[in-house]
Amino acid sequence: MEFRVTREVLADAVAWTARSLPPRPSVPVLAGILLEVDGSQLSVSGFDYEVSARAEVDVQAAESGRVLVPGRLLAEITRALPPHPVDIRAEGPRLSITCGNARFSLPTLPVEDYPSLPAMPSSAGVVDSDVFAEAVGQVAVAAGRDDTLPMLTGVRLEIEDDRVTLAATDRYRLAVREFAWRPETPGISAAVLVPARTLADAARTLTSGPEITVSLSSGGSGEGILGLSGKDRQTTTRLLDAEFVKYRAIMPSESSASATLPVVQFTDAAKRVALVAERGTPLRCEFTPGQVTLRAGGSDDEGQAEERCDVEFDGDPLTIGFNPTFLLDGLAAVHTGRARMDFTSPLKPAVLSGVEEPAADDADGGRPAERPGSYRYLIMPVRLPG
Amino acid sequence: MLHVDMDAFFASVEVRRRPELAGTPVVVGGAGNRGVVTSATYEARAYGVHAAMPTARALRLCPTATVLPGDMALYAEVSRSVMALFRSVTPLVEPLSLDEAFLDVSGAGRRLGDAAQVGEYLRARVYDEQGITCSVGVAGTKFVAKLASTRAKPDGLLVVRPAEVIDFLHPLPVGALWGVGAKTEELLLRLGLRTIGDLAHVPVRTLQRAVGPAAGAHLHELSWGRDPRRVVPDEPERSTGHEETFATDVDDPAVVHRELLRLAERTAGRLRAGGWLARTVSIKVRFADFTTITRSRTLDVPTDVGQDLYETARALFDALGLDRARLRLVGVRAERLVPAGSAPRQLQLGEREHGRRDAELAADRAARRFGAGAVRPATLLHRDRDRRVRDRPGG
């Protein structure tokens, strides 16, 4: 194997692949990155039996071949190379990397022991990469991080013809977002549970092209694979084999009060007040017509904080407590200037959503129209003592 | 300064619940061939039975003894009432365990008379309200008060006035000194120091060379009845839990899971009885070779629900990835406790208005009426039968 490649292109591809390498590989070869040259194309791959990543790069190839090299070391080296073309060549059991005056020689790993990457399943449809990245980011924030409850660490992906719905919950909040896509087969219907961390990572880093192709294996339960392909990058992840909660039943169908709040001001106020809220203690929100008063802390040996913020409020005055992190996560995910919160009671979930704004003229500060889409973020309140 | 110590606390509470056992030897402790005695009535002690002795040995010494498994939730409840009674006399109450506490009653004097009168008043109230006896030591220092209550047992009160301290203290064996364990005692005996009086008359420097500078100075002060420690009121209970030594080593994960469930249920009962929520759950696993490990996890939301404790304990255990290792003991602890009344509670989506917690509270009420274990998880229903089978000699 022998080829020449642009330094930037190589470093990007290796760094992207290296992110999905397992920190503590179960078998030593899984710490490797597989370099394969075929024709004028280099593919850079990593795999840990759960997630596979494969980046493709154009190279000037002198000789085809396959080499497995220690992944993290390769990533560190390519990131540090000087800005010159890079020459890479297999030399017996070692790999030589030459760039400008720098020369590296790395040991290789036994390529014949490396597992073959799962085949990319057939395409299910195509979605705009920006829409996908935003939607996944908005929803994955609500997924649980506790690996002992696998069904809560996933994002539910539901496909109904030309609509896709994403949902995730950690039992305390639930985020749901719907968007349009272009299915391969009209009338397609499917629902899978995708590991949230992997999905969020893939969606965020596959935005170099305008579109992402979503692929689903049609295997039986437990064998499912989701594939995501963007420009020159593709990744697969094994699906979670678990039931997802019946989340539609949790969505409140009506509300008895609602507030419309300026997201930036309210977020800043909540962050300030939350500074005194020790772990596990809530942020108290007292809504009255025209304003909300945020409070935290309280007992004698803790700090106390309080801040008022102007909001529109419609309904009977209401005092409700939230875990500050849950509230701030939701506020950061609505992506609009103003957000709406709907309430039923201080012990029932509150629903956060974006507020649609028409485009403003230049005279009003020149703001593009905001269409919040279908994003909903439910937060289960904290029952306040007393 | 008062030191109040319940007499044979767990056993006395059991006798109160089953009056027909009054006057007979009763032992509270683990059954099975590895259980140990946690409490014994004075009738049993007359046969040489004492706490921390293997139950099997206790039964050999006193074959007529009634062995009871113990009901921690009940003891915790009685303890709470007793501590509340103490606090009605003085806010300066420092519980040392469920069954003993230091009280600083210097402020209560005007209302209830001198410390000895307060002590008699408390003994009478404890007997009236709880039907159990306690012993009280009265002295100017914590250390002497504790020794006095031990001397007063059972069902007595002993006052050691400042002028009497030296006479009281010096004939006692050095092992009675606070901070002298088996090892230090052995060291002191080798130096020919048998009584506290012997130790008191050794120059401090000599003592310090023998046991170290800090300990030497400390023992010297104590031997002359000087103990500057004050009552630290209301040390909040920081953790609570249960552990079980298996009758024979266990390698079946299903058996371990069932034991974890039982321990979690009991721990949760104790949390509820004490009005606490746990923020952290920990497990303890002791292997057949006595290697012991603990693992803990902090919960998103503090809890007093047995099911929550169990799920976390089980996840911690499963995460150890033990491949049928032989286990001698498992334990479940609830740690970083916060008072339930004042704690805000994060609600769960789709939470039923009456959830698992209400079921467990109902089980608590049933247990108070019909005895411990009246209502329990179905998984644990066959346990008693299993246990009888496992406990059969040679089985």
Side-chain angles (χ1 to χ4, degrees):
Chain A
M1 186 181 76
E2 187 176 353
F3 61 91
R4 168 171 282 206
V5 60
T6 319
R7 184 243 172 221
E8 282 304 313
V9 171
L10 177 70
D12 282 356
V14 172
W16 183 78
T17 303
R19 281 175 320 106
S20 52
L21 292 179
R24 283 179 299 277
S26 51
V27 212
V29 288
L30 296 184
I33 279 183
L34 183 67
L35 302 176
E36 280 178 289
V37 177
D38 189 9
S40 64
Q41 197 156 63
L42 164 70
S43 72
V44 182
S45 318
F47 183 42
D48 70 353
Y49 289 112
E50 296 289 324
V51 178
S52 81
R54 181 185 171 107
E56 272 156 12
V57 172
D58 289 333
V59 296
Q60 293 161 258
E63 193 191 336
S64 296
R66 307 169 78 212
V67 172
L68 187 65
V69 283
R72 304 236 169 261
L73 188 55
L74 181 67
E76 279 166 26
I77 290 172
T78 52
R79 189 169 60 225
L81 287 175
H84 297 288
V86 186
D87 288 302
I88 295 185
R89 202 158 80 91
E91 293 173 346
R94 300 184 78 85
L95 184 78
S96 94
I97 302 173
T98 312
C99 178
N101 296 328
R103 183 170 184 281
F104 294 86
S105 170
L106 303 184
T108 58
L109 299 165
V111 70
E112 59 280 7
D113 293 349
Y114 198 68
S116 46
L117 265 61
M120 182 57 81
S122 56
S123 161
V126 174
V127 56
D128 292 348
S129 59
D130 291 340
V131 170
F132 192 66
E134 181 187 45
V136 170
Q138 285 178 314
V139 170
V141 68
R145 285 158 190 84
D146 183 353
D147 289 328
T148 58
L149 298 165
M151 73 289 222
L152 298 178
T153 62
V155 170
R156 164 99 161 173
L157 187 148
E158 291 177 355
I159 299 168
E160 281 304 329
D161 193 21
D162 63 347
R163 307 295 301 173
V164 175
T165 308
L166 300 179
T169 179
D170 63 1
R171 285 187 287 184
Y172 310 117
R173 57 249 173 92
L174 163 71
V176 182
R177 164 80 195 259
E178 202 182 282
F179 56 87
W181 79 326
R182 297 177 291 287
E184 195 72 34
T185 325
I188 180 175
S189 173
V192 293
L193 194 59
V194 192
R197 220 174 301 162
T198 313
L199 181 66
D201 219 39
R204 197 179 59 240
T205 56
L206 287 176
T207 48
S208 51
E211 291 178 344
I212 290 179
T213 302
V214 179
S215 314
L216 270 178
S217 73
S218 49
S221 69
E223 292 300 308
I225 283 181
L226 175 86
L228 297 171
S229 321
K231 182 172 168 288
D232 302 331
R233 305 266 198 278
Q234 56 184 48
T235 180
T236 65
T237 173
R238 197 187 281 191
L239 297 172
L240 290 169
D241 186 18
E243 284 289 303
F244 193 69
V245 289
K246 305 251 178 299
Y247 67 92
R248 286 179 208 277
I250 301 170
M251 291 293 230
S253 48
E254 50 194 25
S255 74
S256 60
S258 73
T260 303
L261 27 100
V263 172
V264 172
Q265 288 89 327
F266 185 75
T267 301
D268 288 348
K271 276 184 183 160
R272 275 189 289 270
V273 173
L275 291 174
V276 301
E278 288 184 27
R279 197 192 136 84
T281 64
L283 187 68
R284 252 177 106 92
C285 305
E286 299 167 19
F287 286 96
T288 50
Q291 74 178 28
V292 59
T293 307
L294 303 174
R295 288 181 215 275
S299 73
D300 292 337
D301 50 355
E302 293 168 10
Q304 294 173 18
E306 161 182 337
E307 182 162 344
R308 284 190 308 277
C309 178
D310 291 336
V311 300
E312 291 165 35
F313 182 73
D314 183 16
D316 290 333
L318 172 105
T319 298
I320 187 165
F322 294 112
N323 173 321
T325 308
F326 296 169
L327 181 64
L328 290 168
D329 281 349
L331 289 165
V334 291
H335 298 168
T336 52
R338 292 192 303 157
R340 179 185 162 101
M341 273 187 108
D342 286 286
F343 307 98
T344 321
S345 91
L347 300 181
K348 291 267 155 53
V351 186
L352 196 59
S353 55
V355 172
E356 184 158 347
E357 307 280 0
D361 295 338
D362 281 350
D364 290 343
R367 187 189 55 213
E370 287 182 336
R371 277 184 298 280
S374 60
Y375 185 57
R376 293 285 177 280
Y377 181 90
L378 263 72
I379 323 175
M380 201 63 188
V382 174
R383 179 153 70 190
L384 298 167
Chain B
M1 203 75 74
L2 296 188
H3 180 256
V4 188
D5 198 353
M6 304 297 130
D7 299 327
F9 181 52
F10 299 170
S12 303
V13 174
E14 292 296 341
V15 170
R16 180 192 69 173
R17 177 153 67 170
R18 297 170 61 177
E20 73 275 12
L21 294 176
T24 70
V26 175
V27 169
V28 176
N33 49 25
R34 283 190 191 156
V36 295
V37 174
T38 52
S39 177
T41 58
Y42 285 85
E43 290 80 3
R45 292 183 196 197
Y47 291 86
V49 175
H50 58 80
M53 166 185 285
T55 309
R57 182 164 148 69
L59 277 175
R60 274 198 302 277
L61 290 169
C62 179
T64 55
T66 311
V67 178
L68 296 169
D71 177 356
M72 272 300 159
L74 176 66
Y75 308 150
E77 199 181 309
V78 174
S79 172
R80 214 158 39 101
S81 313
V82 171
M83 296 298 166
L85 166 66
F86 295 167
R87 287 192 188 94
S88 71
V89 171
T90 169
L92 300 176
V93 175
E94 178 182 342
L96 293 181
S97 64
L98 284 182
D99 62 347
E100 57 178 319
F102 282 116
L103 280 70
D104 182 339
V105 295
S106 47
R110 198 169 307 149
R111 189 153 54 91
L112 296 163
D114 66 18
Q117 285 169 307
V118 175
E120 285 299 356
Y121 168 78
L122 289 175
R123 281 170 28 75
R125 286 281 305 268
V126 168
Y127 187 75
D128 281 354
E129 291 177 12
Q130 303 297 336
I132 57 175
T133 62
C134 60
S135 300
V136 175
V138 184
T141 59
K142 276 175 135 176
F143 153 63
V144 178
K146 184 161 162 93
L147 288 176
S149 73
T150 309
R151 178 71 72 81
K153 273 178 171 304
D155 195 16
L157 176 134
L158 179 65
V159 182
V160 180
R161 296 184 197 289
E164 303 161 0
V165 167
I166 304 300
D167 287 344
F168 171 76
L169 216 49
H170 281 190
L172 295 174
V174 285
L177 279 177
W178 205 312
V180 175
K183 226 171 164 178
T184 313
E185 185 177 5
E186 198 188 308
L187 189 75
L188 295 171
L189 288 177
R190 230 181 309 141
L191 293 171
L193 306 177
R194 215 174 39 78
T195 65
I196 296 180
D198 295 343
L199 186 141
H201 291 95
V202 169
V204 191
R205 302 279 292 279
T206 313
L207 202 56
Q208 287 178 321
R209 268 198 301 280
V211 299
H218 171 71
L219 293 182
H220 182 79
E221 288 296 295
L222 287 182
S223 71
W224 289 102
R226 292 190 286 263
D227 176 12
R229 283 169 306 169
R230 300 184 20 200
V231 168
V232 183
D234 245 346
E235 280 264 287
E237 197 178 348
R238 286 196 196 88
S239 74
T240 183
H242 283 282
E243 51 191 52
E244 174 79 10
T245 303
F246 294 112
T248 53
D249 293 341
V250 162
D251 63 359
D252 179 355
V255 173
V256 176
H257 286 159
R258 205 153 61 220
E259 193 56 40
L260 289 173
L261 172 59
R262 197 177 67 88
L263 295 170
E265 295 276 339
R266 288 173 66 183
T267 303
R270 205 153 154 185
L271 287 174
R272 289 190 296 269
W276 297 104
L277 300 175
R279 273 196 181 172
T280 299
V281 178
S282 77
I283 61 162
K284 173 165 156 186
V285 174
R286 176 166 295 154
F287 296 94
D289 66 355
F290 277 86
T291 333
T292 307
I293 54 173
T294 61
R295 292 288 182 272
S296 67
R297 170 170 297 158
T298 296
L299 305 166
D300 289 340
V301 177
T303 186
D304 60 3
V305 179
Q307 190 67 25
D308 294 349
L309 298 184
Y310 168 64
E311 279 169 13
T312 308
R314 183 183 162 142
L316 286 168
F317 177 78
D318 291 346
L320 293 174
L322 301 181
D323 188 17
R324 297 192 78 95
R326 301 188 66 76
L327 305 182
R328 182 181 172 83
L329 169 148
V330 291
V332 174
R333 282 199 88 68
E335 298 173 349
R336 294 178 60 209
L337 307 187
V338 291
S342 67
R345 196 165 74 84
Q346 171 69 55
L347 305 168
Q348 289 186 16
L349 287 163
E351 183 173 299
R352 270 178 285 174
E353 210 161 306
H354 297 287
R356 180 82 191 190
R357 185 169 195 276
D358 295 277
E360 294 188 9
L361 283 172
D364 287 350
R365 286 192 292 275
R368 278 199 289 277
R369 232 175 122 186
F370 303 109
V375 178
R376 56 191 148 157
T379 326
L380 297 179
L381 276 183
H382 296 298
R383 192 187 148 77
D384 291 340
R385 199 188 56 202
D386 293 354
R387 177 172 243 180
R388 271 199 300 278
V389 170
R390 277 194 281 139
D391 286 356
R392 194 174 295 154

